[in-house]
Amino acid sequence: MTATPAAEQPPAPTPDRPRDPRRWLILGVICLAQLVVILDNTILNVAVPTLTDDLGAGTADVQWIINAYVLVQAGLLLAAGAAADRYGRKKLLLTGLVLFGAGSLAAALAHSTGQLIAARAGMGVGGALLLTTTLAVAVQVFDDDERVRAIGVWAAVNALGFAAGPLVGGVLLAHFWWGSLFIVNVPVVLLGLCAVSVLVPESRVEQSHRPDLLGALLSTIAMASLVYAVVSGPDHGWSSRYVLTGAGLGVCALTGFVLWERRVQDPMLDMSFFRNRTFTGAVIGAVLITFGSGGALFLLTQQLQFVLGYGPLEAGLRTAPFALTVVLLNFTGISARLSKRLGIPGSVAVGMTLLACGLAAVALAGRVVDGYGGLLVGLVLMGVGCAFANPAMAVAVMGAIPREKAGAGAGIQGTVTEFGSGLGVAVLGAVLSARFSALVPVAAASLPAALAATDSAAERRTVTRAFGSALETGQLVGAAAVLTGGLIAATLLRRAEHTAQPETETETEAETEAEAEAGVKPVADAAVTDPA
């Protein structure tokens, strides 16, 4: 293992070294690169009816078009973070932009669901490099005084991209063909390549570790297999060979991943991190908040289009309050000021409780308030919840990991959020499919196919009501998961704070006793006896 030249290891800003005057511009550049990656997690949600008609995609096909991107990305994030620490964060950022742009172009030109799934998987490779390096660069460029604020901006852009995906997708689909959802990434990638080349400094760890390729392979197989089992359940039956094979392979790969990471010299995921309650609580919260919000947006866009009859643009516009609430609270500093008063555990508890209430309000909106009013209340509550919980959990994860492992830390943060989003789409989508199959009087893979198989207007109304009931069930399952996970995460974070405080007090008492034995007077006593 060779050491990296000192010239390629710019030190962190300190009181003795001036801050980089371009640091906020650098943050803007890396957030732009991150924004397009996050947008592609949810931008396809409003395209479900279009893909169903143009490509003949069923429910399982649509889920794989969405999940191929998320799963490949999540599986490679840990390895990408380790590679960025070793080979250079700027170099990996540029590589990620190139791969993401090429994958976007291939997706726009796809002519079948298989081609689109493959292109989305390629985009996931580039997205993994981008997500890890953007957060790692932010941690390196900013000092301790500004790092929390910088991570807060990073997390706000993360939430903005996630929430704004349906709106951007709706606008594009209203004027262009579905391939425009991907071709729009190309000019942003070209701009990012120019800006990163000029502005972002190179940084790497002096004695970094080699990427854990076997760990990356095992984690990717585990996540893909487990989600495949969940997606296949409604179509093939939960006791079918598809589900049992996928679940068995996923459990074996996950077990192998844990055992390998415990014995390998340079693990991709240091299992000792999970002994830290702050880290564990933040990871649980990050998985569950993206599980609920990702799965809910997947269901919500179908509710707006299939059940309420809105077009792609109208559906996107009606999800905008979610994104606008996140932007308003994060970029005005309101959430940061309130979060400082609440602390990280309080911010997570309040944020995820509000998110759960928003999900429940969206699910039950039709029963309580006619029209869009009930949905609007739920979307605003979801936005407030994300604005509080997302930055708090990002700060908690990065704060629990040594600074020299910024790339690996960013990989962990990205992995749990991407995996949570993909799992949310898979699980809540499976709940939707299972409930719909149980209620609908005809066998079909999607609502349009079920409606096409009906013979009368009464049957069509019955099928539509059944689909609406299935959506409600899926959204309520997501709300329950978010609320439970939020309370668990907040409890772990609170216990971690209480555990740290006695240790600090004990250290202070020990220092005082040592000073007394050495004949050093306490400051207060010295002030009293000093003649001056």
Side-chain angles (χ1 to χ4, degrees), residues 189-254:
V189 165
L190 294 176
L191 176 62
L193 285 171
C194 297
V196 169
S197 299
V198 174
L199 293 173
V200 176
E202 183 61 282
S203 64
R204 66 178 75 181
V205 178
E206 182 176 356
Q207 291 184 339
S208 57
H209 305 303
R210 289 178 296 178
D212 181 10
L213 299 180
L214 180 57
L217 177 63
L218 289 173
S219 64
T220 303
I221 292 174
M223 285 183 285
S225 299
L226 290 173
V227 174
Y228 173 77
V230 174
V231 171
S232 301
D235 292 334
H236 301 287
W238 294 104
S239 60
S240 68
R241 67 178 186 275
Y242 299 97
V243 174
L244 295 179
T245 301
L249 180 60
V251 170
C252 291
L254 185 61

Side-chain angles (χ1 to χ4, degrees), residues 502-512:
E503 292 177 354
T504 303
E505 293 172 359
T506 301
E507 292 173 358
T508 303
E509 292 173 359
E511 291 173 358
T512 303

Side-chain angles (χ1 to χ4, degrees), residues 478-503:
V482 167
L483 181 60
T484 303
L487 295 177
I488 293 173
T491 300
L492 290 173
L493 292 170
R494 181 68 67 187
R495 288 181 179 176
E497 285 188 352
H498 289 330
T499 302
Q501 288 173 357
E503 292 177 354

Side-chain angles (χ1 to χ4, degrees), residues 335-354:
S335 64
R337 289 192 293 270
L338 293 177
S339 295
K340 187 175 181 180
R341 295 181 181 180
L342 293 171
I344 290 180
S347 298
V348 171
V350 171
M352 295 189 70
T353 299
L354 289 173

